[in-house]
Amino acid sequence: MKTQKKGSLFELVLPSNWKNVTINTILKDHWQAPKKLVHSMRMENDIKVNGEMIPWNQPLSPGDTVQIHLFKNVDYDVPPTYGEIEVLFEDDHLIVVNKPAGVDTHPNHPDDTNTLANFIAFHHQMNGESCRVLHIHRLDRDTSGAIIFAKHPLSKAILDRLLSDRKIKRMYAALVHGRVKQKKGTIAEPIGRDRHHNTRRRVSQSGQEAITHYKKIENKKDNTLLEIQLDTGRTHQIRVHMSSIGYPLVGDILYGGKPDCARQALHAKNVSFPHPLTEEAITCEAKCEDLPFLS
């Protein structure tokens, strides 16, 4: 698929296998953009074909160039703050970075200005991009690793759908207490809030669906190094699930781990997904600097 950025426009040349499509079917069927976003794009005359405004139900042909006003000058939604970031992938539509431990993904209060989102806003500012910082998923403050942010609403909408459809694959490394006997396993237990503890979560039949797959990599003395993949992304999911079967994460004192590390031994080491607009396969590997055995 041939695409390019021209100023504020995203240009898409329709490939030969896109037959009998219209602007409507591209937005609603192919990209499955939300109705509110589609309506906004229509009202603001954001889309042209071969440089001209046309009816959105008019059939298009392979080779036609669809021009979408995606790259608008918008105010940063978080204050740009200087901070070092490691960029794993970046283009006009999204950025993937390696989050260090000890940093929140995004502000939780208006006076939070030292979060990963603030650092990314500064990065965009230094590159002359005035775009929002739209997180697709989160990592706990003391979890490190790869995390995806969109740069504009259409990219976010498509990435949100890919996440919901489980087409964004996230692989974690975790060190747990005890020697895990099974070579691999799946934990499918719903997770809800712990009404006795403000920040904790727990396995609860009234909670949200949560599915965690784990695979044993190697034993390390009295601990086990695991590779973990998520089908869902609940708050503290890996920490809750591993603790629930008797293998809490090393360093995770909130869920029964011992303080053998300065933080919970959990790192998002890999993320792979199809690009929201070009459909290119993207894979990002993130190194873990403070706990290198998780890389």
Side-chain angles (χ1 to χ4, degrees), residues 136-139 146-148 162-164 166-173 211-213 227-235 237-238 267-273 284:
I136 303 305
H137 56 111
R138 301 177 179 85
L139 292 175
I147 185 167
I148 308 168
L162 292 173
L163 185 68
S164 177
R166 300 177 183 175
K167 292 181 179 177
I168 296 179
K169 304 297 184 182
R170 293 166 288 165
M171 192 72 72
Y172 293 76
I211 301 172
T212 302
H213 307 284
E227 193 172 76
I228 297 177
Q229 187 169 337
L230 300 181
D231 280 356
T232 53
R234 307 305 174 202
T235 300
Q237 179 173 321
I238 293 172
H267 176 70
K269 69 174 187 176
N270 175 289
V271 63
S272 59
F273 56 97
C284 298

Side-chain angles (χ1 to χ4, degrees), residues 23-279:
I23 294 174
N24 270 329
T25 59
I26 292 172
L27 291 174
K28 296 179 179 180
D29 298 338
H30 187 75
W31 285 334
Q32 299 179 40
K35 290 181 179 179
K36 185 176 179 181
L37 178 58
V38 172
H39 177 73
S40 173
M41 296 174 84
R42 184 191 292 272
M43 291 297 101
E44 296 182 20
N45 295 320
D46 280 342
I47 301 180
K48 295 180 179 180
V49 177
N50 302 324
E52 297 180 359
M53 302 293 300
I54 68 167
W56 280 27
N57 59 356
Q58 179 176 315
L60 307 178
S61 302
D64 282 343
T65 299
V66 179
Q67 298 153 316
I68 309 175
H69 186 202
L70 283 185
F71 310 112
K72 302 179 180 181
N73 289 327
V74 295
D75 293 333
Y76 297 109
D77 48 335
V78 295
T81 305
Y82 173 75
E84 295 288 341
I85 63 170
E86 180 186 352
V87 177
L88 304 176
F89 175 87
E90 182 176 17
D91 68 2
D92 297 323
H93 309 283
L94 63 102
I95 183 171
V96 185
V97 299
N98 186 4
K99 187 185 92 66
V103 175
D104 286 321
T105 298
H106 56 80
N108 296 306
H109 306 286
D111 55 348
D112 287 348
T113 58
N114 286 301
T115 73
L116 187 61
N118 298 104
F119 302 159
I120 292 172
F122 184 87
H123 171 81
H124 291 338
Q125 187 180 63
M126 291 299 97
N127 289 337
E129 291 184 288
S130 57
C131 56
R132 299 182 65 194
V133 182
L134 306 167
H135 65 270
I136 303 305
H137 56 111
R138 301 177 179 85
L139 292 175
D140 295 343
R141 177 182 177 85
D142 289 327
T143 299
S144 56
I147 185 167
I148 308 168
F149 293 83
K151 291 187 177 184
H152 57 75
L154 180 59
S155 177
K156 176 170 172 55
I158 298 171
L159 285 165
D160 282 344
R161 174 176 58 79
L162 292 173
L163 185 68
S164 177
D165 291 346
R166 300 177 183 175
K167 292 181 179 177
I168 296 179
K169 304 297 184 182
R170 293 166 288 165
M171 192 72 72
Y172 293 76
L175 188 69
V176 300
H177 289 292
R179 288 186 166 233
V180 178
K181 296 177 182 177
Q182 307 93 318
K183 290 185 177 180
K184 59 182 179 179
T186 295
I187 307 168
E189 295 288 351
I191 291 175
R193 290 183 177 274
D194 186 336
R195 64 178 182 269
H196 302 296
H197 195 295
N198 204 26
T199 58
R200 276 175 58 102
R201 299 294 191 272
R202 65 184 181 90
V203 168
S204 168
Q205 295 311 305
S206 62
Q208 295 178 297
E209 178 191 29
I211 301 172
T212 302
H213 307 284
Y214 64 89
K215 175 183 175 183
K216 182 164 72 171
I217 303 301
E218 64 175 311
N219 292 322
K220 288 183 175 287
K221 296 184 179 180
D222 295 327
N223 303 322
T224 307
L225 182 64
L226 300 176
E227 193 172 76
I228 297 177
Q229 187 169 337
L230 300 181
D231 280 356
T232 53
R234 307 305 174 202
T235 300
H236 298 178
Q237 179 173 321
I238 293 172
R239 301 164 65 188
V240 172
H241 270 173
M242 295 314 302
S243 178
S244 74
I245 63 170
Y247 301 109
L249 270 64
V250 172
D252 189 6
I253 58 175
L254 185 62
Y255 291 102
K258 299 175 183 177
D260 297 340
C261 292
R263 59 160 176 115
Q264 68 253 14
L266 182 62
H267 176 70
K269 69 174 187 176
N270 175 289
V271 63
S272 59
F273 56 97
H275 190 282
L277 292 162
T278 70
E279 300 178 0

